Amino acid sequence: MRIVCPFCGERELGEFTYLGDAKPVRPAADAGEDAVFDYVYLRDNIAGVMNENWYHGGGCRAWLKVTRNTLTHEISAVEPAPGAGAAKVDA
Amino acid sequence: MKYSIFSLARAALSGHKNWQRTWRDATPKDRYDVVIIGGGGHGLATAWFLASEYGVRNVAVLEKGWIGSGNAGRNTTIIRSNYGLPGNTGFYELSMKLWERMEQDLNYNSMVSQRGVINLYHSDAQRDAYARRGNTMRINGIDAELLDLAAVKKMMPFLNFDNARFPVQGGLLQRRGGTARHDAVVWGYAHAASGLGVDIIQNCEVTGFVRDANGKVTGVETSRGRIGAGKVGMAVAGSSSRVADMAGLRLPIESHVLQAFVSEAIKPLIPNVMTFGAGHFYVSQSDKGGLVFGGDIDGYNSYAQRGNMPVMEDVCEGGMALMPMIGRVRLLRQWGGIMDMSMDGSPIIDKTPVDGLYLNAGWCYGGFKATPGSGFVFAHLLARDTPHEEAARFRLDRFRTGAMIDEKGQGAQPNLH
Ligand SMILES: Cc1cc2nc3c(=O)[nH]c(=O)nc-3n(C[C@H](O)[C@H](O)[C@H](O)COP(=O)(O)OP(=O)(O)OC[C@H]3O[C@@H](n4cnc5c(N)ncnc54)[C@H](O)[C@@H]3O)c2cc1C
Ligand SMILES: [Zn+2]
């Protein structure tokens, strides 16, 4: 598996760190226990195409949003995650 | 069919041409008291204990591929009971005791080999942590020995003791730990369960649940038709989220790939199972002579049953740090398996919120050693509707109530467990 970083180009997997499913959104402070339980512990655990957060620590140190198929490892899109690291260059 | 010295001799003397099939390949009936989804070690052990221990014999095990095609046939075969937290300690020791009598119980040679498991330590802090774990084990009646450097040198003189960065200082040894032949475990349970009337149905994928007006599960839809069930138990390892999803359940689980490796065969070298405490590397030597080893999970969600290069490199570096001479040995094979990583690294054995549906999941990369224990306590739950006392903490709602069993102290980060 190789990831094409929008800033650095195609790089080997070892340069990146996985941060998991990009879908869960941190609930508001007053959202209640159920919302927090859901956010921290439950996962869709998709078998198929999933949006994920990756960190390019061995390169530009930007946060990336990667669209990847968990059944085949095929990557169909990589975008800068809004608001972080080198992504600010474009903002 | 029963194996004995005479049946073995008869088969050998007749040129090995008269071996009988060891289990019946059954066709599905309309209805069973208990249907188990997943023909891995856990599903088959559950069926065996349901029949042999709890008297429930109208049981089917449904397997989408062939039995043992999942993690049961992909793991590195290590068995041990060196856990430190309440919940785990008793359960894994129950499982170890069942390993010790498995061959007699099943009338099948699963090649259980108590060659010892040693976890090496490389720093004072690690020694203290292992001493504490060993003490916990001994308080609970489980064997553990803390070895110093001289004792390790005597037992494994071939290690690299001149490693300045990760000096071996000693190790925590469990002599009753070891390995078992993973395929034979599956075949042994199938052989014994089938003998008590359990139907083992291969090439039968569960594609949905049948539910009555109250939402209770009353059967399953499969690639071989609808099958009715009094109760349905899931033991599908890396597919837990996918199967639970068919019943509308979301689980505290992510699926990740773990790789394993086997080298070409060499003469007997490694007397036990050994783990490198400074990195993540563990190794044993198979009876055929191959070095069987592995390390970390790849660390991202995957259902691909194959891994990637960075972890391969990391695992091999760990091996080289410990035993530089294995650099001369060629790698024969590498493969991956999909594990359901739970949010605290511990298993879940419980009724689900869906009436009639029972869950056995979250074994992470450590569920092979649990095979007999898991079958025993899951059968108890299915037969009696109450948890077995040694599995009472493996609740599905422990993440909500805060009663996690986080042996590694990593929190809700399944890719770190
Ligand atoms: C590389 C590797 C090394 C490991 N090393 C060790 C080790 O040394 N020690 C240890 O204790 N543990 C180890 N493990 C973990 C251990 O193998 C697993 O935790 C354990 O085998 C899981 O239980 P099981 O045997 O029942 O699972 P599996 O054998 O995976 O059984 C689940 C079965 O369910 C079937 N299934 C899935 N979906 C469906 C469906 N819809 N319908 C019908 N059937 C379905 C699958 O085909 C599969 O056969 C390792 C795992 C891997 C991958
Ligand atoms: Zn980059």
Side-chain angles (χ1 to χ4, degrees), chain B residues 178-361:
Chain B
T179 60
R181 169 89 159 88
H182 49 9
D183 301 301
V185 171
V186 176
W187 300 330
Y189 278 122
H191 160 81
S194 177
L196 292 185
V198 169
D199 278 358
I200 292 158
I201 303 164
Q202 305 186 82
N203 299 312
C204 182
E205 178 170 3
V206 171
T207 54
F209 290 100
V210 186
R211 301 174 68 170
D212 69 11
N214 300 321
K216 181 179 171 10
V217 168
T218 57
V220 289
E221 303 284 358
T222 80
S223 54
R224 295 176 69 175
R226 178 177 287 201
I227 302 173
K231 291 175 185 175
V232 176
M234 283 172 54
V236 294
S239 301
S240 296
S241 297
R242 281 203 270 184
V243 177
D245 185 50
M246 297 177 202
L249 288 175
R250 277 174 90 219
L251 299 178
I253 281 176
E254 284 183 7
S255 296
H256 287 249
V257 67
L258 179 68
Q259 306 188 61
F261 310 84
V262 168
S263 78
E264 62 186 330
I266 57 173
K267 285 182 179 175
L269 168 72
I270 300 172
N272 46 23
V273 178
M274 228 166 55
T275 74
F276 174 50
H280 202 157
F281 173 81
Y282 54 87
V283 62
S284 66
Q285 189 165 13
S286 82
D287 295 335
K288 281 194 289 190
L291 304 182
V292 181
F293 58 96
D296 273 320
I297 60 173
D298 277 30
Y300 43 86
N301 289 50
S302 174
Y303 287 93
Q305 289 203 333
R306 69 187 155 79
N308 265 301
M309 295 299 279
V311 166
M312 257 171 127
E313 192 179 10
D314 183 67
V315 169
C316 293
E317 280 171 2
M320 289 290 287
L322 208 52
M323 307 176 284
M325 80 285 199
I326 65 167
R328 306 280 298 268
V329 177
R330 276 169 300 194
L331 199 61
L332 203 61
R333 283 183 289 130
Q334 165 272 356
W335 64 90
I338 305 305
M339 292 117 1
D340 43 351
M341 302 298 295
S342 65
M343 292 288 158
D344 62 357
S346 294
I348 300 162
I349 301 177
D350 206 352
K351 292 186 196 183
T352 72
V354 177
D355 210 13
L357 183 63
Y358 298 73
L359 179 65
N360 177 318

Side-chain angles (χ1 to χ4, degrees), chain A residues 3-9 11 15-16 55-64 86:
Chain A
I3 296 178
V4 184
C5 173
F7 306 106
C8 312
R11 297 295 185 92
E15 292 187 4
F16 300 85
Y55 176 61
H56 194 187
C60 63
R61 303 205 286 165
W63 287 83
L64 306 173

Side-chain angles (χ1 to χ4, degrees), chain B residues 19-30:
Chain B
W19 286 105
Q20 285 173 30
R21 295 196 65 154
T22 180
W23 68 86
R24 293 171 297 115
D25 227 347
T27 31
K29 293 195 278 190
D30 287 346

